[in-house]
Amino acid sequence: MIGTSHVTAVARLIRVCTVTCAAVMVVAWVSVQAFASHYNQAPSTQTVVARPVTNTALSEAIVEQTSRGLTCREEPALTDTILFQALEQTEVQVLTFEEAIAASSAHAGWIRRYCF
């Protein structure tokens, strides 16, 4: 027969395991919730209000691309027609996507419009 001391020891062991398991689960749940609340937030972005085109070279390039049936916008888009303006120049060039990205990455100017 099993003595009462063995039953008491097993009961204590079960109690300790249960409390430990509950504590670990609470800590894990709080950790997951903290992680989710930190990384589940929507990224913050800055909105820039588009101003009317005051650069005559840019407006002429936009009119030229529009006359070819293209639509130009400021938001990035995958397209083969990009209006690019070199630094310290008023001239606007029509470049391919790869050329515009390379020139922009080299800090040679900036992409003014995406036409598609």
Side-chain angles (χ1 to χ4, degrees):
M1 299 238 357
I2 299 177
T4 57
S5 63
H6 292 301
V7 173
T8 307
V10 170
R12 284 183 184 160
L13 179 64
I14 291 173
R15 214 176 299 138
V16 168
C17 289
T18 304
V19 170
T20 303
C21 183
V24 167
M25 289 181 69
V26 168
V27 169
W29 184 80
V30 169
S31 300
V32 168
Q33 291 301 319
F35 181 82
S37 69
H38 181 71
Y39 288 104
N40 217 11
Q41 297 173 351
S44 62
T45 58
Q46 293 180 346
T47 304
V48 178
V49 178
R51 289 179 272 162
V53 177
T54 56
N55 183 342
T56 56
L58 179 58
S59 60
E60 289 173 5
I62 291 173
V63 168
E64 180 182 339
Q65 296 303 316
T66 305
S67 68
R68 293 182 179 177
L70 299 175
T71 303
C72 296
R73 65 180 190 174
E74 290 185 21
E75 293 85 23
L78 291 175
T79 180
D80 286 334
T81 307
I82 306 246
L83 301 180
F84 183 83
Q85 187 172 12
L87 291 176
E88 314 229 351
Q89 291 185 5
T90 57
E91 177 184 316
V92 176
Q93 305 168 342
V94 177
L95 300 178
T96 65
F97 189 81
E98 292 83 16
E99 293 171 338
I101 294 297
S104 180
S105 297
H107 304 292
W110 60 89
I111 295 173
R112 299 302 302 259
R113 296 289 188 277
Y114 299 85
C115 300
F116 54 97

